[in-house]
Amino acid sequence: MSDYTPPKVWEPKESGGKFAKTNRPVAGPTHDKALPVGEHPFQVYSLATPNGVKVGVMFEELMALGKEAEYDAWLINIGDGDQFGSGFVEINPNSKIPAMVDHTGETPLRVFESGSILIHLAEKFGAFLPSDPATRVETMNWLFWQMGSAPYLGGGFGHFYAYAPVSIEYAIDRFTMETKRQLDVLDRRLAETEYLAGDEYTIADIATWSWYGQLVLGRLYDAAEFLQVESYTHVMRWAKQIDARPAVQRGRMVNRTFGEPETQLHERHDASDFETKTQDKIGG
């Protein structure tokens, strides 16, 4: 039990922990820094967190379909505070990755929030968002379910289980309970259908796999055993099926700065970069 009593007025203080310096109680830039701009129509500014992986996978899936979706992916290192640079804040006032600028029209469009980016690209290229009204609605249902649920998984379970400077039993139990409930929601749905919206792979799967698929595959928080993920047999089947897609394998490498060197592509500017510019090829 804790004897902490909240004060009448909260004041910020150093909390410690791995990501303590990535958050602050005010918005806006902390320093002037322009964003780089490459030669392709789409400029992505991101990091290979689960939300960032969504966008890398989406672009690689579009490229695999032969769409004219070439893109530059620039690294935003949130540990260094890149998300608080003036250029990044201009395209995402919320200072969170991923963010993107679409230069295909007369006026560049900023697109922020991973779900908004997925919808924008799906509608622009007519891919991974079904035209059938009922299936489209079901896709949106699951996409927004993921967007609303992820804070419990990442900001809640992931934070208190893996990153908090102290272990708090109540907090871990609270968010573990919710994470397992969400996995059960997914498992029940995927017992009925191949993919979340039905028989078709959609942006709902891309978004949800980036969080829950990677979780059950043991890539988030080192928590697979703790959560008994093997018991969610339908989620495991779906996660492995999506993980086998070549575009997914490429997409999760984009803006990745951790893991084995051969899985890290800090920046992506050409399709050939996956073969020539991973960290095992260039060192560092």
Side-chain angles (χ1 to χ4, degrees):
M1 299 293 292
S2 171
D3 58 0
Y4 172 70
T5 300
K8 290 185 180 296
V9 177
W10 181 83
E11 294 289 344
K13 56 183 178 294
E14 177 60 56
S15 61
K18 183 175 181 180
F19 296 110
K21 296 186 183 300
T22 65
N23 296 301
R24 56 196 182 105
V26 295
T30 61
H31 58 283
D32 289 330
K33 185 177 181 180
L35 290 175
V37 179
E39 64 180 31
H40 297 306
F42 299 97
Q43 299 295 302
V44 176
Y45 304 93
S46 191
L47 181 70
T49 66
N51 284 331
V53 164
K54 296 176 190 178
V55 177
V57 168
M58 182 64 172
F59 270 108
E60 291 303 318
E61 291 282 15
L62 290 169
M63 296 286 290
L65 290 179
K67 304 292 186 179
E68 294 183 2
E70 263 291 5
Y71 68 106
D72 292 283
W74 303 92
L75 180 64
I76 298 296
N77 192 324
I78 62 175
D80 292 343
D82 291 349
Q83 72 275 30
F84 300 125
S86 57
F88 189 83
V89 174
E90 186 175 350
I91 65 170
N92 186 356
N94 195 40
S95 291
K96 301 290 184 182
I97 61 92
M100 180 185 82
V101 180
D102 178 348
H103 292 273
T104 58
E106 292 185 6
T107 302
L109 294 176
R110 73 176 188 184
V111 194
F112 61 90
E113 288 296 326
S114 58
S116 180
I117 294 172
L118 292 179
I119 293 170
H120 177 77
L121 293 172
E123 291 182 336
K124 189 175 193 71
F125 290 103
F128 307 115
L129 183 56
S131 57
D132 170 68
T135 312
R136 180 187 175 90
V137 167
E138 193 68 7
T139 300
M140 291 296 193
N141 289 342
W142 286 104
L143 174 64
F144 282 92
W145 174 85
Q146 186 281 314
M147 295 294 293
S149 299
Y152 286 94
L153 176 56
F157 174 75
H159 177 78
F160 286 107
Y161 180 76
Y163 303 131
V166 294
S167 292
I168 304 171
E169 182 178 5
Y170 174 81
I172 292 172
D173 286 348
R174 167 69 180 86
F175 287 106
T176 299
M177 183 83 70
E178 178 61 13
T179 297
K180 289 182 71 66
R181 188 193 69 80
Q182 291 175 13
L183 286 169
D184 193 51
V185 169
L186 281 179
D187 204 57
R188 291 169 185 267
R189 173 58 178 170
L190 292 167
E192 304 169 341
T193 57
E194 183 176 7
Y195 296 107
L196 287 173
D199 297 332
E200 188 175 345
Y201 174 68
T202 70
I203 55 175
D205 298 289
I206 292 172
T208 306
W209 179 89
S210 299
W211 279 100
Y212 297 88
Q214 294 203 99
L215 178 70
V216 300
L217 293 172
R219 297 176 185 153
L220 295 184
Y221 316 130
D222 195 24
E225 181 179 7
F226 179 76
L227 294 170
Q228 298 175 293
V229 298
E230 293 290 345
S231 66
Y232 303 101
T233 56
H234 304 291
V235 177
M236 291 298 299
R237 182 271 305 164
W238 165 86
K240 291 176 181 178
Q241 184 174 344
I242 293 175
D243 192 53
R245 297 175 68 94
V248 171
Q249 294 170 16
R250 292 191 300 274
R252 63 182 291 266
M253 295 168 63
V254 176
N255 298 139
R256 185 178 174 88
T257 60
F258 51 89
E260 296 300 318
E262 62 269 21
T263 70
Q264 297 184 36
L265 184 63
H266 289 190
E267 292 185 0
R268 188 272 190 206
H269 302 290
D270 187 83
S272 64
D273 290 350
F274 293 101
E275 302 298 327
T276 62
K277 293 187 178 179
T278 53
Q279 286 304 105
D280 60 316
K281 302 292 197 312
I282 65 174

